[in-house]
Amino acid sequence: MNDPVLSAQSIAVVTFNIQQRDLILDALEASDDPLVSARLSDDEDPLVVKNLENVQGDERDVILFSTAFSAKSPGDRLPMNFGPLSRTGGEKRLNVAVTRARRKVVVFSSFDAADIDLARTSSKGLADLRGISSPRT
C-alpha cells in the first residue's frame, strides 16, 4: 500500500478458517496505519479478509493467502489436517481461493512446502497447496 506503483492494486486476505479471518481482520482494524484504515473502508474496492468458504465471487489484484496451520513445536511433524482443504474436494476450494487473484498470489506460512508430506496424506488439496507454495526458480 506504500508503494506508489502498486498502491492502486486491490487486495484480499484469504484464510482457511473463520477464527484466523477474525484474528487478521481485528488486527487490521486495530492498526493505526491510515492507509490500512482507508483501504478497509473503501466503498469501491475495499481490502477484504475472507475465509476459504466465503471468497468465491470476490476478485482482487493480489490475494494474500494465509495457511494458519503449523507444527505444534519446532521439530514436530506438520499435521496433515488442513480443515476443508484436506477433505474430498478441498482442491476445488483452494482453486477458488487462488484464482481470485488477477495478478498475484502470496502464500504466508510458518512451514516449508516440503513439510507437507504427501506420503502421509492422499489429499489432492494438500498436494496442490504444496505445489503453489514451493519457491519458483
Side-chain angles (χ1 to χ4, degrees):
M1 287 186 264
N2 289 317
D3 185 319
V5 175
L6 303 175
S7 64
Q9 292 187 2
S10 58
I11 302 169
V13 179
V14 179
T15 69
F16 274 119
N17 56 56
I18 293 170
Q19 295 85 355
Q20 189 185 24
R21 179 208 61 196
D22 291 347
L23 181 68
I24 292 171
L25 187 56
D26 288 349
L28 289 171
E29 288 173 340
S31 171
D32 59 0
D33 186 325
L35 292 175
V36 172
S37 297
R39 290 298 287 272
L40 285 169
S41 61
D42 185 336
D43 290 334
E44 291 182 31
D45 205 5
L47 165 62
V48 296
V49 183
K50 296 196 170 192
N51 64 305
L52 196 57
E53 304 293 327
N54 296 316
V55 72
Q56 190 162 347
D58 266 332
E59 192 174 78
R60 296 291 191 272
D61 293 319
V62 178
I63 297 293
L64 306 176
F65 193 78
S66 177
T67 59
F69 294 95
S70 66
K72 289 193 184 276
S73 300
D76 287 352
R77 291 191 327 178
L78 180 67
M80 293 294 104
N81 182 359
F82 280 52
L85 187 66
S86 299
R87 295 191 280 272
T88 302
E91 71 278 7
K92 294 176 185 172
R93 289 189 167 110
L94 180 63
N95 183 58
V96 166
V98 299
T99 59
R100 303 297 91 202
R102 292 184 201 114
R103 296 175 182 256
K104 185 175 190 173
V105 175
V106 180
V107 178
F108 289 88
S109 176
S110 61
F111 57 87
D112 291 328
D115 293 340
I116 299 174
D117 185 354
L118 298 179
R120 294 177 40 225
T121 181
S122 61
S123 168
K124 174 79 169 109
L126 283 178
D128 289 351
L129 177 62
R130 180 179 167 146
I132 67 166
S133 299
S134 296
R136 305 289 187 240
T137 55

Short mmCIF file of all heavy atoms in Angstrom, two decimals, residues 59-104:
data_model
loop_
_atom_site.label_atom_id
_atom_site.label_comp_id
_atom_site.label_asym_id
_atom_site.label_seq_id
_atom_site.Cartn_x
_atom_site.Cartn_y
_atom_site.Cartn_z
N GLU A 59 -12.95 -10.91 -6.46
CA GLU A 59 -11.72 -10.93 -7.24
C GLU A 59 -10.91 -9.70 -6.86
O GLU A 59 -11.46 -8.62 -6.69
CB GLU A 59 -12.08 -10.90 -8.74
CG GLU A 59 -10.92 -11.19 -9.65
CD GLU A 59 -11.36 -11.29 -11.10
OE1 GLU A 59 -11.57 -10.23 -11.73
OE2 GLU A 59 -11.50 -12.43 -11.59
N ARG A 60 -9.62 -9.89 -6.69
CA ARG A 60 -8.72 -8.79 -6.34
C ARG A 60 -7.44 -8.95 -7.14
O ARG A 60 -7.13 -10.03 -7.65
CB ARG A 60 -8.38 -8.81 -4.85
CG ARG A 60 -9.55 -8.57 -3.91
CD ARG A 60 -10.03 -7.12 -4.03
NE ARG A 60 -10.98 -6.75 -3.00
CZ ARG A 60 -12.29 -6.91 -3.08
NH1 ARG A 60 -12.83 -7.47 -4.14
NH2 ARG A 60 -13.08 -6.49 -2.10
N ASP A 61 -6.68 -7.85 -7.24
CA ASP A 61 -5.40 -7.92 -7.94
C ASP A 61 -4.44 -8.86 -7.21
O ASP A 61 -3.75 -9.65 -7.83
CB ASP A 61 -4.77 -6.52 -8.05
CG ASP A 61 -5.57 -5.60 -8.95
OD1 ASP A 61 -6.04 -6.05 -10.02
OD2 ASP A 61 -5.74 -4.43 -8.58
N VAL A 62 -4.42 -8.76 -5.88
CA VAL A 62 -3.50 -9.55 -5.08
C VAL A 62 -4.27 -10.32 -4.02
O VAL A 62 -5.11 -9.75 -3.32
CB VAL A 62 -2.45 -8.64 -4.39
CG1 VAL A 62 -1.51 -9.46 -3.51
CG2 VAL A 62 -1.66 -7.84 -5.41
N ILE A 63 -3.98 -11.60 -3.92
CA ILE A 63 -4.53 -12.43 -2.85
C ILE A 63 -3.38 -12.76 -1.91
O ILE A 63 -2.35 -13.30 -2.32
CB ILE A 63 -5.15 -13.76 -3.39
CG1 ILE A 63 -6.33 -13.47 -4.30
CG2 ILE A 63 -5.53 -14.69 -2.24
CD1 ILE A 63 -7.55 -12.87 -3.63
N LEU A 64 -3.55 -12.42 -0.64
CA LEU A 64 -2.62 -12.79 0.41
C LEU A 64 -3.23 -14.00 1.10
O LEU A 64 -4.25 -13.88 1.76
CB LEU A 64 -2.41 -11.64 1.39
CG LEU A 64 -1.98 -10.31 0.76
CD1 LEU A 64 -1.90 -9.22 1.83
CD2 LEU A 64 -0.66 -10.45 0.03
N PHE A 65 -2.65 -15.16 0.90
CA PHE A 65 -3.23 -16.42 1.37
C PHE A 65 -2.49 -16.88 2.62
O PHE A 65 -1.30 -17.16 2.58
CB PHE A 65 -3.16 -17.47 0.27
CG PHE A 65 -3.98 -18.68 0.53
CD1 PHE A 65 -5.35 -18.66 0.33
CD2 PHE A 65 -3.40 -19.84 0.99
CE1 PHE A 65 -6.12 -19.78 0.58
CE2 PHE A 65 -4.15 -20.96 1.25
CZ PHE A 65 -5.52 -20.93 1.05
N SER A 66 -3.20 -16.96 3.73
CA SER A 66 -2.61 -17.35 5.00
C SER A 66 -3.00 -18.78 5.33
O SER A 66 -4.19 -19.10 5.42
CB SER A 66 -3.11 -16.40 6.09
OG SER A 66 -2.62 -16.79 7.33
N THR A 67 -2.01 -19.64 5.54
CA THR A 67 -2.31 -21.05 5.75
C THR A 67 -2.78 -21.38 7.15
O THR A 67 -3.57 -22.31 7.33
CB THR A 67 -1.08 -21.93 5.43
OG1 THR A 67 -0.01 -21.54 6.26
CG2 THR A 67 -0.70 -21.80 3.97
N ALA A 68 -2.28 -20.69 8.17
CA ALA A 68 -2.73 -20.83 9.57
C ALA A 68 -2.37 -22.14 10.25
O ALA A 68 -2.55 -22.25 11.44
CB ALA A 68 -4.23 -20.63 9.69
N PHE A 69 -1.89 -23.12 9.56
CA PHE A 69 -1.57 -24.40 10.17
C PHE A 69 -0.06 -24.51 10.34
O PHE A 69 0.71 -24.00 9.54
CB PHE A 69 -2.09 -25.56 9.33
CG PHE A 69 -3.59 -25.60 9.27
CD1 PHE A 69 -4.28 -25.02 8.22
CD2 PHE A 69 -4.32 -26.21 10.28
CE1 PHE A 69 -5.67 -25.04 8.18
CE2 PHE A 69 -5.70 -26.23 10.25
CZ PHE A 69 -6.37 -25.66 9.20
N SER A 70 0.35 -25.19 11.41
CA SER A 70 1.78 -25.37 11.66
C SER A 70 1.99 -26.55 12.59
O SER A 70 1.04 -27.07 13.18
CB SER A 70 2.38 -24.11 12.29
OG SER A 70 1.84 -23.90 13.59
N ALA A 71 3.25 -26.93 12.73
CA ALA A 71 3.60 -27.94 13.72
C ALA A 71 3.44 -27.31 15.10
O ALA A 71 3.60 -26.10 15.27
CB ALA A 71 5.05 -28.39 13.51
N LYS A 72 3.11 -28.12 16.10
CA LYS A 72 2.91 -27.59 17.46
C LYS A 72 4.19 -27.01 18.04
O LYS A 72 4.17 -25.98 18.69
CB LYS A 72 2.35 -28.67 18.37
CG LYS A 72 0.92 -29.03 18.04
CD LYS A 72 0.29 -29.85 19.15
CE LYS A 72 -1.09 -30.28 18.77
NZ LYS A 72 -2.11 -29.33 19.02
N SER A 73 5.31 -27.66 17.81
CA SER A 73 6.60 -27.22 18.33
C SER A 73 7.65 -27.40 17.25
O SER A 73 7.51 -28.26 16.38
CB SER A 73 7.00 -28.06 19.55
OG SER A 73 6.05 -27.93 20.58
N PRO A 74 8.73 -26.62 17.31
CA PRO A 74 9.81 -26.83 16.34
C PRO A 74 10.30 -28.27 16.38
O PRO A 74 10.46 -28.86 17.45
CB PRO A 74 10.90 -25.86 16.83
CG PRO A 74 10.15 -24.81 17.59
CD PRO A 74 9.00 -25.53 18.23
N GLY A 75 10.48 -28.84 15.21
CA GLY A 75 10.94 -30.23 15.11
C GLY A 75 9.80 -31.24 15.01
O GLY A 75 10.03 -32.38 14.62
N ASP A 76 8.58 -30.85 15.39
CA ASP A 76 7.43 -31.74 15.25
C ASP A 76 7.04 -31.85 13.78
O ASP A 76 7.30 -30.95 12.98
CB ASP A 76 6.21 -31.21 16.02
CG ASP A 76 6.34 -31.35 17.52
OD1 ASP A 76 7.31 -31.98 17.98
OD2 ASP A 76 5.48 -30.80 18.22
N ARG A 77 6.38 -32.96 13.45
CA ARG A 77 5.86 -33.11 12.10
C ARG A 77 4.64 -32.22 11.92
O ARG A 77 3.86 -32.01 12.85
CB ARG A 77 5.46 -34.56 11.82
CG ARG A 77 6.64 -35.48 11.74
CD ARG A 77 6.37 -36.85 11.22
NE ARG A 77 5.06 -37.41 11.53
CZ ARG A 77 4.65 -38.59 11.12
NH1 ARG A 77 5.45 -39.34 10.40
NH2 ARG A 77 3.47 -39.05 11.43
N LEU A 78 4.49 -31.71 10.72
CA LEU A 78 3.34 -30.89 10.38
C LEU A 78 2.11 -31.78 10.32
O LEU A 78 2.11 -32.80 9.61
CB LEU A 78 3.57 -30.22 9.02
CG LEU A 78 2.48 -29.31 8.50
CD1 LEU A 78 2.35 -28.06 9.37
CD2 LEU A 78 2.78 -28.92 7.06
N PRO A 79 1.03 -31.44 11.03
CA PRO A 79 -0.20 -32.22 10.90
C PRO A 79 -0.72 -32.14 9.46
O PRO A 79 -0.57 -31.11 8.80
CB PRO A 79 -1.17 -31.53 11.86
CG PRO A 79 -0.32 -30.73 12.77
CD PRO A 79 0.91 -30.36 11.99
N MET A 80 -1.30 -33.20 8.98
CA MET A 80 -1.80 -33.23 7.61
C MET A 80 -3.30 -32.95 7.55
O MET A 80 -3.94 -33.25 6.56
CB MET A 80 -1.49 -34.58 6.95
CG MET A 80 0.00 -34.82 6.71
SD MET A 80 0.75 -33.70 5.52
CE MET A 80 1.65 -32.60 6.59
N ASN A 81 -3.86 -32.37 8.59
CA ASN A 81 -5.27 -31.99 8.59
C ASN A 81 -5.36 -30.48 8.46
O ASN A 81 -5.11 -29.74 9.40
CB ASN A 81 -5.97 -32.46 9.86
CG ASN A 81 -7.45 -32.12 9.85
OD1 ASN A 81 -7.96 -31.52 8.90
ND2 ASN A 81 -8.13 -32.49 10.90
N PHE A 82 -5.71 -30.02 7.28
CA PHE A 82 -5.86 -28.60 6.99
C PHE A 82 -7.32 -28.25 6.79
O PHE A 82 -7.69 -27.53 5.87
CB PHE A 82 -5.06 -28.23 5.74
CG PHE A 82 -3.59 -28.03 5.97
CD1 PHE A 82 -2.82 -28.99 6.60
CD2 PHE A 82 -2.96 -26.88 5.55
CE1 PHE A 82 -1.46 -28.82 6.80
CE2 PHE A 82 -1.60 -26.69 5.75
CZ PHE A 82 -0.84 -27.66 6.37
N GLY A 83 -8.16 -28.78 7.64
CA GLY A 83 -9.59 -28.47 7.59
C GLY A 83 -10.20 -28.81 6.24
O GLY A 83 -9.99 -29.91 5.71
N PRO A 84 -10.92 -27.85 5.63
CA PRO A 84 -11.62 -28.12 4.38
C PRO A 84 -10.71 -28.51 3.23
O PRO A 84 -11.11 -29.21 2.32
CB PRO A 84 -12.36 -26.82 4.08
CG PRO A 84 -11.69 -25.78 4.90
CD PRO A 84 -11.11 -26.47 6.09
N LEU A 85 -9.46 -28.07 3.29
CA LEU A 85 -8.53 -28.41 2.22
C LEU A 85 -8.20 -29.89 2.21
O LEU A 85 -7.96 -30.48 1.15
CB LEU A 85 -7.24 -27.59 2.37
CG LEU A 85 -6.24 -27.71 1.24
CD1 LEU A 85 -6.79 -27.13 -0.04
CD2 LEU A 85 -4.95 -27.05 1.62
N SER A 86 -8.21 -30.52 3.37
CA SER A 86 -7.85 -31.93 3.48
C SER A 86 -8.98 -32.87 3.04
O SER A 86 -8.73 -34.03 2.75
CB SER A 86 -7.49 -32.26 4.93
OG SER A 86 -6.38 -31.50 5.34
N ARG A 87 -10.18 -32.36 3.03
CA ARG A 87 -11.32 -33.22 2.70
C ARG A 87 -11.47 -33.37 1.18
O ARG A 87 -10.89 -32.63 0.40
CB ARG A 87 -12.60 -32.62 3.30
CG ARG A 87 -12.57 -32.64 4.83
CD ARG A 87 -13.93 -32.31 5.41
NE ARG A 87 -14.25 -30.90 5.43
CZ ARG A 87 -13.94 -30.08 6.42
NH1 ARG A 87 -13.24 -30.49 7.44
NH2 ARG A 87 -14.30 -28.82 6.35
N THR A 88 -12.28 -34.34 0.80
CA THR A 88 -12.57 -34.55 -0.62
C THR A 88 -13.10 -33.26 -1.22
O THR A 88 -13.99 -32.62 -0.65
CB THR A 88 -13.61 -35.67 -0.79
OG1 THR A 88 -13.09 -36.86 -0.19
CG2 THR A 88 -13.93 -35.91 -2.25
N GLY A 89 -12.55 -32.86 -2.34
CA GLY A 89 -12.96 -31.61 -2.99
C GLY A 89 -12.22 -30.39 -2.48
O GLY A 89 -12.45 -29.28 -2.96
N GLY A 90 -11.31 -30.57 -1.51
CA GLY A 90 -10.56 -29.45 -0.97
C GLY A 90 -9.75 -28.71 -2.02
O GLY A 90 -9.57 -27.50 -1.94
N GLU A 91 -9.30 -29.45 -3.01
CA GLU A 91 -8.52 -28.81 -4.08
C GLU A 91 -9.36 -27.79 -4.84
O GLU A 91 -8.86 -26.79 -5.34
CB GLU A 91 -7.94 -29.86 -5.04
CG GLU A 91 -8.93 -30.56 -5.93
CD GLU A 91 -9.67 -31.73 -5.28
OE1 GLU A 91 -9.53 -31.97 -4.08
OE2 GLU A 91 -10.41 -32.41 -6.02
N LYS A 92 -10.68 -28.02 -4.91
CA LYS A 92 -11.56 -27.07 -5.58
C LYS A 92 -11.66 -25.77 -4.79
O LYS A 92 -11.68 -24.68 -5.36
CB LYS A 92 -12.94 -27.68 -5.78
CG LYS A 92 -12.93 -28.84 -6.75
CD LYS A 92 -14.29 -29.48 -6.85
CE LYS A 92 -14.21 -30.73 -7.72
NZ LYS A 92 -15.45 -31.50 -7.72
N ARG A 93 -11.70 -25.89 -3.47
CA ARG A 93 -11.74 -24.69 -2.62
C ARG A 93 -10.44 -23.90 -2.75
O ARG A 93 -10.45 -22.68 -2.82
CB ARG A 93 -11.99 -25.08 -1.17
CG ARG A 93 -13.40 -25.57 -0.95
CD ARG A 93 -13.65 -25.72 0.53
NE ARG A 93 -15.07 -25.89 0.76
CZ ARG A 93 -15.62 -27.02 1.16
NH1 ARG A 93 -14.88 -28.08 1.37
NH2 ARG A 93 -16.92 -27.09 1.36
N LEU A 94 -9.32 -24.61 -2.77
CA LEU A 94 -8.04 -23.94 -2.94
C LEU A 94 -8.00 -23.25 -4.30
O LEU A 94 -7.57 -22.11 -4.41
CB LEU A 94 -6.89 -24.93 -2.82
CG LEU A 94 -5.49 -24.35 -3.00
CD1 LEU A 94 -5.17 -23.34 -1.91
CD2 LEU A 94 -4.45 -25.47 -3.01
N ASN A 95 -8.48 -23.92 -5.32
CA ASN A 95 -8.52 -23.35 -6.66
C ASN A 95 -9.35 -22.07 -6.69
O ASN A 95 -8.95 -21.07 -7.28
CB ASN A 95 -9.06 -24.36 -7.67
CG ASN A 95 -9.04 -23.82 -9.07
OD1 ASN A 95 -7.99 -23.45 -9.58
ND2 ASN A 95 -10.21 -23.75 -9.70
N VAL A 96 -10.50 -22.09 -6.03
CA VAL A 96 -11.33 -20.89 -5.97
C VAL A 96 -10.56 -19.75 -5.31
O VAL A 96 -10.55 -18.63 -5.80
CB VAL A 96 -12.66 -21.16 -5.22
CG1 VAL A 96 -13.37 -19.86 -4.87
CG2 VAL A 96 -13.58 -22.03 -6.06
N ALA A 97 -9.88 -20.06 -4.21
CA ALA A 97 -9.15 -19.01 -3.47
C ALA A 97 -8.05 -18.39 -4.32
O ALA A 97 -7.94 -17.16 -4.39
CB ALA A 97 -8.57 -19.59 -2.18
N VAL A 98 -7.23 -19.20 -4.95
CA VAL A 98 -6.08 -18.64 -5.66
C VAL A 98 -6.46 -18.06 -7.02
O VAL A 98 -5.75 -17.20 -7.53
CB VAL A 98 -4.92 -19.65 -5.79
CG1 VAL A 98 -4.42 -20.05 -4.41
CG2 VAL A 98 -5.28 -20.86 -6.62
N THR A 99 -7.56 -18.49 -7.59
CA THR A 99 -7.97 -17.91 -8.87
C THR A 99 -8.75 -16.61 -8.69
O THR A 99 -9.19 -16.03 -9.68
CB THR A 99 -8.80 -18.91 -9.71
OG1 THR A 99 -9.96 -19.30 -8.97
CG2 THR A 99 -7.97 -20.11 -10.10
N ARG A 100 -8.88 -16.15 -7.48
CA ARG A 100 -9.49 -14.84 -7.23
C ARG A 100 -8.49 -13.73 -7.52
O ARG A 100 -8.84 -12.56 -7.59
CB ARG A 100 -9.97 -14.69 -5.77
CG ARG A 100 -10.96 -15.74 -5.27
CD ARG A 100 -12.28 -15.73 -6.02
NE ARG A 100 -12.18 -16.67 -7.12
CZ ARG A 100 -12.92 -16.67 -8.22
NH1 ARG A 100 -13.85 -15.79 -8.39
NH2 ARG A 100 -12.76 -17.55 -9.17
N ALA A 101 -7.22 -14.09 -7.70
CA ALA A 101 -6.17 -13.10 -7.94
C ALA A 101 -6.06 -12.78 -9.42
O ALA A 101 -5.93 -13.67 -10.25
CB ALA A 101 -4.83 -13.63 -7.44
N ARG A 102 -6.12 -11.49 -9.74
CA ARG A 102 -5.92 -11.06 -11.12
C ARG A 102 -4.44 -11.04 -11.48
O ARG A 102 -4.07 -11.24 -12.64
CB ARG A 102 -6.48 -9.65 -11.31
CG ARG A 102 -7.97 -9.55 -11.22
CD ARG A 102 -8.43 -8.11 -11.53
NE ARG A 102 -9.75 -7.91 -10.99
CZ ARG A 102 -10.06 -7.07 -10.00
NH1 ARG A 102 -9.11 -6.32 -9.45
NH2 ARG A 102 -11.29 -6.96 -9.57
N ARG A 103 -3.57 -10.75 -10.50
CA ARG A 103 -2.15 -10.57 -10.78
C ARG A 103 -1.23 -11.50 -10.00
O ARG A 103 -0.28 -12.02 -10.55
CB ARG A 103 -1.72 -9.13 -10.48
CG ARG A 103 -2.39 -8.12 -11.35
CD ARG A 103 -1.99 -6.72 -10.90
NE ARG A 103 -2.65 -5.72 -11.70
CZ ARG A 103 -2.05 -5.03 -12.65
NH1 ARG A 103 -0.78 -5.22 -12.89
NH2 ARG A 103 -2.72 -4.14 -13.34
N LYS A 104 -1.50 -11.67 -8.69
CA LYS A 104 -0.51 -12.35 -7.87
C LYS A 104 -1.15 -12.98 -6.65
O LYS A 104 -2.07 -12.42 -6.06
CB LYS A 104 0.54 -11.33 -7.41
CG LYS A 104 1.70 -11.89 -6.66
CD LYS A 104 2.71 -10.77 -6.39
CE LYS A 104 3.99 -11.35 -5.85
NZ LYS A 104 5.04 -10.35 -5.74
#
